[in-house]
Amino acid sequence: MGQHDLSPAQARSLLGSEVLIGRSPHDLDQARAAVEDPEVDYFCTGPLWETPTKPGRPATGRGFVRDVSGLMAGSAAAGTPWFAIGGIDVDRLPEVLNAGASRIVVVRAITKAPDPGVAARQLRGLIRD
């Protein structure tokens, strides 16, 4: 759920308990709110870099990943899954991992790759290392 969409509670009331509800925070206060919201099952931080899948959305940068990583390390909800998203590819992934992310969401890194299978395996290999 984006910041201007239904609230997670509204979405939950419509969709029920069987559906996972995610949130898309773009700053640390929004991330903190996502962690504290009992209706949020996971959240995605970003976009780290500007991306055509979110035109006009300013990049949050790797500092946001570091901030969220720190927030989660000291949080009672540290088990809430979170993902880094936005402009991540094989070349940028080490920076994202060094900033504290352990999960990512990618689109173009796979769909625009000459060999999507190779790209997916490369990304997966970097995350496992």
Side-chain angles (χ1 to χ4, degrees), residues 83-121:
F83 301 79
I85 189 169
I88 300 168
D89 59 23
V90 158
D91 295 329
R92 291 175 168 169
L93 182 53
E95 296 175 59
V96 176
L97 297 173
N98 286 336
S102 60
R103 296 178 187 94
I104 60 168
V105 176
V106 298
V107 176
R108 289 176 298 121
I110 293 175
T111 63
K112 299 292 184 182
D115 185 330
V118 167
R121 284 188 295 279

Side-chain angles (χ1 to χ4, degrees), residues 39-56:
E39 300 300 338
V40 172
D41 298 303
Y42 71 95
F43 63 95
C44 296
T45 60
L48 300 183
W49 287 272
E50 289 186 22
T51 173
T53 57
K54 295 290 183 183

Side-chain angles (χ1 to χ4, degrees), residues 1-11 21-26 30 34 37 40 42-44 46 54 57:
M1 306 301 300
Q3 298 303 309
H4 303 292
D5 296 332
L6 295 174
S7 72
Q10 290 169 320
I21 305 246
R23 198 69 166 154
S24 297
H26 308 295
Q30 292 173 357
D37 189 331
V40 172
Y42 71 95
F43 63 95
C44 296
K54 295 290 183 183
R57 170 87 51 208

Side-chain angles (χ1 to χ4, degrees), residues 7-22:
S7 72
Q10 290 169 320
R12 180 75 64 213
S13 71
L14 292 170
L15 300 171
S17 62
E18 299 299 313
V19 174
L20 294 176
I21 305 246

